[in-house]
Amino acid sequence: VEANTSYKKREVSRLHSYAKNQSKEKMKSFQLSSLFLCIVFFLFSNPCEASAHIHLDFLHCLSLNLSNSTSFTKLIYTANDPSYSSLLNSSIMNFRFSSPSTPKPLVIVTPFHVSQIQATLKCSKEHGLQIRTRSGGHDSDGLSYLSDVPFIVIDLRNLRSIKVDVNSKTAWVQAGATIGEVYYRIAEKSPNLGFPSGICYTVGVGGHFSGGGYGILLRKYGLGGDNVIDAYILNAEGRILNRKSMGEDLFWAIRGGGAANFGIVLAWKIKLVYVPSKLTIVNIQRDFEQDSTKKLVHQWQYIADKFDKDLLLFVRLQTANSTQGNKKSLQAFFVAVFLGGVDKLLPLIQKSFPELGLVRKDCTEMSWIQSILLFNGFPTSSSPDVLLNRTQSVMFSFKAKADYVKEPIPEDVFEKLAKTLYQEDVGTAVLQLFPYGGRMREIAESETPFPHRAGNLYELTYLARWVEKGNASETERHLNWTRSAYSYMTPYVSKNPREAYLNYRDLDIGRNNYNGSTTYAQASIWGSKYFKDNFRRLAHVKTKVDPTNFFRNEQSIPPLSS
């Protein structure tokens, strides 16, 4: 059998013809022919496993529940479709999960309308297939597009409408949109409106907002999830709910608790925030091996969370090629974003952090949208429409882990941590210190599921990023660096629990059973790290809205009855 589009159309036509004249006898006949078709398919591709006929039954179910075959052929992609691999890989943002050995979905569904998602849910339940919902594909450990059990992917790329209302300072954003698209559409309407969310422009908002979502406006306005004021979600029964009909418990849960635990978010209504016409960006580079730089980083820990809300100053450490032969040098970057002009920033820094030695030539004024371009590696003179590109120019494999720091790390301990960067290739490993305080200190831990608020000085991120070459030992080396650095810091970061950030998904801290039998106590091992005391409330919400645990993955919240 030749797997191509014309074949798929013929098969869909056959399924629709069958659907018009179905009977019990014909159902038996169809199942036998489906199994035969499975065998023929997989003689020319993969081994014919038990899941092979399941996806054909799933396709048949969809054909009965969709209005016409034309939409079906544009909607469904199986492993035998020539476009399947390119479609799957186009939104895999962590290339260590793009290898041939990585589990692949039986079917990718690319809906254009909510009714198509409803049909997909119905047929998935009938045929025992797990669902993974993907908007941007940035899940750190790949759970939006892979699983250890037979599954399908609902890829929301076609549902990315953005409607900005300048008068009400709000926007409705469909879940398949990226952060870059959101920022572009806001700036298109007003230079003085923005949204407090992440920097990376290819991240999808479906998962980003539901895990919290922090960025350069965090100290002024909090998280993306803190500024969501309504949403549409599809529940396990296929009902579309808004804030009023879903109730405040579920609305609370999806703004930081991971919406994929409870349903499929279709759209977010977000509250836009004021940004001045001029922002000032600072990027100061220092040699970390100099004692003065070590002391600067150490002092930063005591004051960065106490700066004016309009100022965010974070620190990034990584290696670079030395000007002296082939040696590596360890560099510290002090990066600041100030919501105002340079004339206001200079005296503020002089008063609160004079040791930094900030001078005017270190500062660059620009608009908010230009700052987004800058942080994504584009010249500030670029047209903002580059943010509409959903694919990154260079694809990396990566592993991220996060800690929360409540007391300054001793200078000698931090120096040892920083020097572990020498173990990695130049520029592949990064330590980032991102300050909290400001608005984050004012929001209660229980306000949303994201609990990392008052008491945290900064978030410490360990990131290894490399170009994938398919070398397992090389991949393991990079993974070992993040795990080793994380282990070393155990005595110096948050404890009981050791807190973690959901949007830096980390299966190292715990995972569920394959068969969905994970208990609340088992899940608490990792759940308390992401959500602290909010985890029990999240489990109560799960019990209420999805008692059969249909929406589950390798790190999902179980019902309390599990």
Side-chain angles (χ1 to χ4, degrees):
V1 177
E2 182 179 358
N4 55 29
T5 304
S6 63
Y7 168 77
K8 186 163 62 176
K9 290 182 178 180
R10 292 197 302 273
E11 176 64 5
V12 171
S13 177
R14 185 178 74 80
L15 291 174
H16 273 275
S17 296
Y18 164 79
K20 293 178 181 178
N21 302 290
Q22 57 182 315
S23 66
K24 289 184 178 179
E25 290 75 22
K26 289 186 177 181
M27 175 63 77
K28 293 178 182 177
S29 175
F30 173 79
Q31 289 172 340
L32 289 172
S33 65
S34 293
L35 183 57
F36 172 76
L37 182 62
C38 158
I39 294 171
V40 176
F41 264 133
F42 284 81
L43 280 174
F44 294 97
S45 52
N46 302 315
C48 186
E49 301 171 348
S51 60
H53 75 275
I54 295 176
H55 90 274
L56 288 174
D57 291 342
F58 170 79
L59 292 178
H60 169 242
C61 178
L62 271 186
S63 74
L64 298 177
N65 286 276
L66 294 173
S67 59
N68 61 74
S69 60
T70 301
S71 65
F72 192 93
T73 58
K74 295 179 180 179
L75 178 72
I76 299 297
Y77 298 83
T78 69
N80 299 286
D81 192 298
S83 302
Y84 172 90
S85 293
S86 60
L87 176 64
L88 177 63
N89 290 328
S90 66
S91 291
I92 291 181
M93 297 301 179
N94 191 345
F95 257 37
R96 66 188 176 98
F97 300 123
S98 63
S99 69
S101 61
T102 302
K104 304 293 191 296
L106 297 175
V107 179
I108 303 173
V109 183
T110 57
F112 291 85
H113 190 270
V114 175
S115 63
Q116 296 166 339
I117 306 178
Q118 291 170 315
T120 303
L121 284 183
K122 180 177 184 294
C123 294
S124 298
K125 293 177 75 172
E126 286 185 9
H127 296 284
L129 289 172
Q130 284 294 295
I131 282 178
R132 298 293 178 266
T133 306
R134 181 169 78 172
S135 53
H138 277 267
D139 188 293
S140 295
D141 271 350
L143 295 193
S144 65
Y145 51 83
L146 61 82
S147 176
D148 294 322
V149 299
F151 71 107
I152 66 170
V153 165
I154 298 178
D155 192 312
L156 299 176
R157 64 180 56 227
N158 297 319
L159 298 175
R160 59 179 194 264
S161 169
I162 301 167
K163 297 181 180 179
V164 177
D165 187 334
V166 173
N167 292 329
S168 65
K169 297 183 178 61
T170 62
W172 271 104
V173 181
Q174 285 190 310
T178 63
I179 291 175
E181 290 171 329
V182 173
Y183 291 165
Y184 175 85
R185 296 302 175 194
I186 296 172
E188 189 178 42
K189 292 293 183 71
S190 172
N192 295 119
L193 290 176
F195 189 69
S197 196
I199 293 173
C200 181
Y201 71 105
T202 58
V203 169
V205 303
H208 186 61
F209 296 170
S210 78
Y214 77 88
I216 58 177
L217 299 180
L218 168 139
R219 300 193 68 254
K220 180 72 172 183
Y221 296 113
L223 307 170
D226 296 335
N227 291 275
V228 169
I229 55 178
D230 204 344
Y232 286 111
I233 187 171
L234 194 66
N235 70 6
E237 284 71 48
R239 292 180 57 211
I240 302 172
L241 308 173
N242 63 7
R243 179 174 182 173
K244 183 177 180 180
S245 56
M246 79 175 75
E248 288 302 304
D249 281 346
L250 180 53
F251 184 65
W252 172 84
I254 63 176
R255 294 176 297 128
N261 291 294
F262 311 101
I264 298 176
V265 169
L266 304 171
W268 302 101
K269 186 177 184 181
I270 58 176
K271 177 179 63 178
L272 307 183
V273 300
Y274 170 77
V275 289
S277 299
K278 288 183 180 180
L279 279 67
T280 302
I281 308 299
V282 175
N283 188 2
I284 296 176
Q285 183 175 349
R286 297 278 190 268
D287 183 350
F288 184 79
E289 295 291 7
Q290 295 182 359
D291 289 342
S292 59
T293 304
K294 296 173 188 176
K295 294 186 182 303
L296 273 181
V297 174
H298 185 64
Q299 185 178 1
W300 175 94
Q301 296 185 89
Y302 289 87
I303 59 177
D305 69 309
K306 302 175 181 63
F307 286 142
D308 187 283
K309 287 183 186 178
D310 288 338
L311 175 62
L312 180 142
L313 174 59
F314 65 92
V315 178
R316 188 178 75 250
L317 278 76
Q318 65 185 75
T319 56
N321 287 315
S322 174
T323 56
Q324 301 176 356
N326 296 322
K327 294 182 179 180
K328 300 176 186 176
S329 65
L330 184 54
Q331 301 294 306
F333 298 84
F334 295 83
V335 183
V337 179
F338 178 65
L339 302 179
V342 63
D343 289 335
K344 291 184 178 180
L345 174 61
L346 288 173
L348 191 155
I349 291 291
Q350 184 58 37
K351 178 181 178 181
S352 56
F353 196 18
E355 295 83 359
L356 184 61
L358 182 69
V359 295
R360 186 174 292 271
K361 69 177 183 179
D362 298 322
C363 307
T364 306
E365 293 182 339
M366 62 188 69
S367 67
W368 175 71
I369 198 66
Q370 285 178 315
S371 74
I372 300 300
L373 292 170
L374 179 70
F375 282 114
N376 280 287
F378 298 113
T380 55
S381 58
S382 302
S383 171
D385 60 12
V386 297
L387 299 176
L388 300 178
N389 185 355
R390 295 175 67 89
T391 58
Q392 297 177 159
S393 57
V394 180
M395 300 307 300
F396 295 95
S397 294
F398 68 90
K399 175 64 179 177
K401 298 174 80 71
D403 265 321
Y404 287 90
V405 179
K406 299 180 182 296
E407 297 180 2
I409 297 169
E411 190 172 344
D412 62 328
V413 171
F414 193 85
E415 182 178 357
K416 290 178 182 178
L417 172 66
K419 288 189 174 182
T420 66
L421 291 165
Y422 284 124
Q423 300 169 10
E424 284 285 273
D425 300 333
V426 171
T428 58
V430 175
L431 294 170
Q432 180 168 283
L433 291 66
F434 204 88
Y436 274 42
R439 177 63 180 148
M440 293 295 285
R441 186 185 293 119
E442 299 169 353
I443 301 174
E445 283 191 3
S446 59
E447 183 72 18
T448 72
F450 182 98
H452 318 295
R453 307 288 186 170
N456 289 300
L457 302 179
Y458 60 93
E459 180 184 305
L460 173 59
T461 303
Y462 319 84
L463 173 65
R465 189 178 68 166
W466 64 98
V467 177
E468 186 64 51
K469 299 177 182 177
N471 187 322
S473 61
E474 181 184 12
T475 296
E476 195 62 28
R477 177 169 63 86
H478 296 302
L479 296 178
N480 284 340
W481 176 81
T482 61
R483 291 164 179 162
S484 176
Y486 180 82
S487 176
Y488 171 68
M489 292 305 296
T490 302
Y492 310 104
V493 295
S494 59
K495 300 173 182 66
N496 302 318
R498 183 175 186 175
E499 300 172 35
Y501 176 37
L502 180 63
N503 279 357
Y504 291 157
R505 173 92 65 187
D506 187 5
L507 291 177
D508 291 349
I509 66 174
R511 60 188 301 154
N512 295 344
N513 301 332
Y514 295 127
N515 60 5
S517 63
T518 305
T519 65
Y520 171 79
Q522 288 174 298
S524 294
I525 294 171
W526 56 262
S528 63
K529 294 178 173 65
Y530 288 137
F531 307 114
K532 298 180 68 176
D533 292 341
N534 292 332
F535 187 60
R536 175 162 286 276
R537 183 178 173 187
L538 286 168
H540 276 289
V541 176
K542 175 72 171 183
T543 307
K544 179 180 178 182
V545 305
D546 185 23
T548 64
N549 201 21
F550 174 70
F551 291 107
R552 64 180 186 270
N553 58 45
E554 285 70 20
Q555 207 177 66
S556 61
I557 299 167
L560 287 172
S561 57
S562 295

